[in-house]
Amino acid sequence: MTPRTPIFNHDLADDIDRVLVDRHALDIRVSELAGEIARCYHKQELTIVGVLTGSLVFLADLIRRLPLRVKLSVISISSYPGRATTSRGPSITGLPPESLAGKHVLIVDDILDSGKTLLALKTQLAAHHPASLRTCVILRKQIPDFTPCTQADFAGFDVPNEFVVGYGLDYDNLYRNLPDICVLKPHCYDRQMGKT
Ligand code: IMP
Ligand code: MG
């Protein structure tokens, strides 16, 4: 039995409008994803590149369920610096020191939204000539009449087109520690804008 009652004090619980994906569903699906990934790579060594900071919780859960020889690297991707540089795409810092050439590489991120982030990462990591390059996200946003510019090879859940937090995902670097994927109450955004 998994308790659905938030373990946090009432201040944090008061910020949550509703739970979209609870911790029990996450637990089950992450194990399933690990199975899908293990079958895909058989007994090959896998190099996982986790995208900080949003993938951190998912990454920690996923790698411990992979019955494979796994090498782990993490990278950061800058937020879009502004319109003038948007067309160049997000830039990566902390590329793995070890060459990815000839390696089976799996990028792990939190969510596929427009797809721009994953596409930029795939393009930049492909330049290292890995043996294979795939992507895995825990969430995939469903946006009506919109097709993302890239797809994920492995995806946990489809979620509606709403801003979500928890299980590593943030709003203003908050809420990453929520164990469920949640939608926030409007007052959280109002507070950020100095209205409350
Ligand atoms: P994309 O480049 O539009 O696919 O956006 C991907 C990145 O934007 C993710 O790695 C997240 O960091 C962030 N992001 C997109 N949607 C959400 C959301 O609903 N909650 C929190 N972060 C999000
Ligand atoms: Mg991110």
Side-chain angles (χ1 to χ4, degrees):
M1 278 294 284
T2 304
R4 293 187 71 121
T5 314
I7 57 172
F8 300 98
N9 66 45
H10 72 281
D11 284 343
L12 189 53
D14 278 352
D15 288 355
I16 299 167
D17 183 63
R18 65 193 189 282
V19 172
L20 274 189
V21 186
D22 70 26
R23 65 201 79 175
H24 184 56
L26 284 163
D27 188 49
I28 292 169
R29 187 70 188 117
V30 172
S31 291
E32 289 174 355
L33 275 177
E36 290 173 30
I37 292 165
R39 280 192 292 281
C40 177
Y41 292 97
H42 301 288
K43 293 178 176 168
Q44 299 173 111
E45 183 182 288
L46 179 60
T47 299
I48 289 186
V49 177
V51 186
L52 295 178
T53 304
S55 78
L56 204 132
V57 180
F58 173 41
L59 187 65
D61 282 349
L62 183 69
I63 58 171
R64 287 178 291 170
R65 293 169 202 196
L66 282 175
L68 298 169
R69 289 163 63 88
V70 169
K71 289 191 172 178
L72 180 63
S73 295
V74 287
I75 56 175
S76 294
I77 188 149
S78 72
S79 53
Y80 304 154
R83 295 184 78 87
T85 52
T86 298
S87 63
R88 286 163 52 199
S91 64
I92 296 172
T93 52
L95 268 179
E98 202 174 312
S99 172
L100 299 178
K103 301 282 170 66
H104 294 287
V105 175
L106 179 67
I107 300 168
V108 174
D109 202 0
D110 50 4
I111 186 166
L112 177 78
D113 192 341
S114 70
K116 283 182 189 170
T117 304
L118 273 192
L119 182 61
L121 286 168
K122 278 166 75 173
T123 305
Q124 293 193 40
L125 296 195
H128 292 245
H129 305 292
S132 67
L133 181 59
R134 293 187 178 89
T135 55
C136 176
V137 290
I138 187 62
L139 300 177
R140 193 165 48 187
K141 216 172 255 192
Q142 297 296 293
I143 309 173
D145 304 317
F146 177 81
T147 307
C149 54
T150 190
Q151 297 293 337
D153 297 287
F154 304 96
F157 294 92
D158 289 326
V159 290
N161 188 20
E162 291 185 83
F163 197 81
V164 293
V165 297
Y167 200 63
L169 291 105
D170 74 304
Y171 170 64
D172 194 28
N173 207 22
L174 287 168
Y175 307 107
R176 296 190 194 276
N177 54 321
L178 289 172
D180 310 301
I181 305 278
C182 303
V183 176
L184 293 173
K185 287 180 182 163
H187 77 250
C188 301
Y189 305 108
D190 297 342
R191 182 194 295 147
Q192 173 62 21
M193 293 167 73
K195 290 180 187 166
T196 60

